[in-house]
Amino acid sequence: MANLVGDVSSAARILPELNGEKLFIHHGKGAYLWDDKGRQYIDTALGFGAVLLGHANDSVNAAVTQALADSAAPSWAHVREHGAATALAQHTGALSKVMFTNSGSEAVHLACRAARAYTGRRKIAKMAAGFDGWFDDVSFGNVTSNEASFSDGARPTTERTTLLRFNDFEDVERLFAEDQDIAAVILEPMLANAGCIMPLPGYLKHVQDIAHQHGALVICDEVLMGFRLFPGLAGLREGLDPDLASVGKAIGNGVPVSAVVGKPEILAGFEEGRVARGGTFSGNPMACAAVTSTLAQLDESDFEMLIKRGDALRQAIEAAFKSQGITVVTSGYGNVFGIWLSADAPVTYEQAAHKANPAFTNALHLALREAGLLMMPSPYGRIYISFEHTDEVIEAMKTAFETAAAKLKPAFADA
């Protein structure tokens, strides 16, 4: 009997069996992963968005190896932390103060603490079906939950968390009319974990404006999308002026690291010791080395080319299914997008829940896996590409989707 609960330490890693076999990854390099049987796969999960430079990047690995050799846990302030913070702050605009943490969930949790401490209010408002970490407060209303769909009609609320309908302009105004205890609203550049639902034009700015009018802060949750469209915060590119942001994933290219970045006055309580923070491994030497190396490489990377490749892949995927009489559409950006068995992409979670087809995405996952490509099996999953997904890799991905579409035709062709 296995000692590991459910075979994995994070439920997101659970995959269906293929021909009676479970998948266990042995190693990765560039755009590829190899399992314990030596089989090679093109990876599109990429550490759920963390691996942007490609698996086992030589420069990042070298920097982390040197930091490990120097001491994994020196306890006190060390020589790499200030440099990593400076490198990060150079990409985050007015959010010039940095506190390192270890995971995206921790970063969001600490940002929420900062907002509560600064405003003196208790509640955090998050988007229904958004994923802002697995801690109890912000896991409330996650995708597929009853709360996310406002199933009983009323706004789902706890003592510390309340929900907003994504892309509903009037709902944010109703929220602040109903509740004067909102410390902050958490915004994502898109509702990524609900299948890459894109914001309507002006929506994010509208939420920010209403929140600020009522004395609430704005937290941009950039753990997934930060540094993926360009070397910086996606929300800033959308014209937002957040007070705080959580970042992670891509800033360390797969090495566990995250951070809260914020305006100096918002984070002053931490600096002055009035607000508690801690974490034995927060800002550890390996994490800081990874951040410094990763950001230096991202500054020299061609994001426009990467997104162009991804957009070409999206078009090819839709065309591959169309040739088999199956209508699909993609939503998101060129280097992170979802696939829907539908003629149009959802713009609300209600639409997404209606369009979600677990049988289709599970079958697609298995067909692609047989063809040498790994994709999330969830209807709310995403396809990521990295800078190691070259034109040659993209062409191989197109072929894999053509093979999978042909295999799925008997079950999913349009009636």
Side-chain angles (χ1 to χ4, degrees), residues 272-297:
E272 296 163 6
R274 293 182 285 105
V275 187
R277 58 176 172 146
T280 297
F281 301 111
S282 295
N284 68 76
M286 292 84 71
C288 292
V291 168
T292 302
S293 177
T294 298
L295 296 186
Q297 291 182 74

Side-chain angles (χ1 to χ4, degrees), residues 227-263:
F227 294 82
R228 182 152 282 279
L229 301 179
F230 75 108
L233 303 180
L236 298 185
R237 201 180 73 162
E238 296 299 317
L240 296 182
D241 180 27
D243 305 286
L244 295 155
S246 54
V247 294
K249 291 188 185 288
I251 67 170
N253 199 53
V255 174
V257 62
S258 61
V260 175
V261 293
K263 294 178 178 178

Side-chain angles (χ1 to χ4, degrees), residues 12-88:
R13 297 183 207 148
I14 297 173
L15 295 178
E17 292 186 2
L18 175 62
N19 301 322
E21 289 187 15
K22 295 180 178 180
L23 179 70
F24 293 98
I25 298 302
H26 184 273
H27 68 283
K29 183 66 178 175
Y32 299 98
L33 293 171
W34 286 262
D35 68 15
D36 57 351
K37 304 291 194 305
R39 291 172 293 213
Q40 176 181 293
Y41 306 89
I42 298 172
D43 186 21
T44 70
L46 293 169
F48 303 107
V51 178
L52 184 51
L53 296 172
H55 289 290
N57 177 269
D58 290 342
S59 296
V60 174
N61 282 6
V64 171
T65 299
Q66 183 59 59
L68 177 61
D70 287 345
S71 175
S75 300
W76 319 115
H78 59 85
V79 297
R80 290 176 171 86
E81 200 167 5
H82 271 281
T86 298
L88 181 57

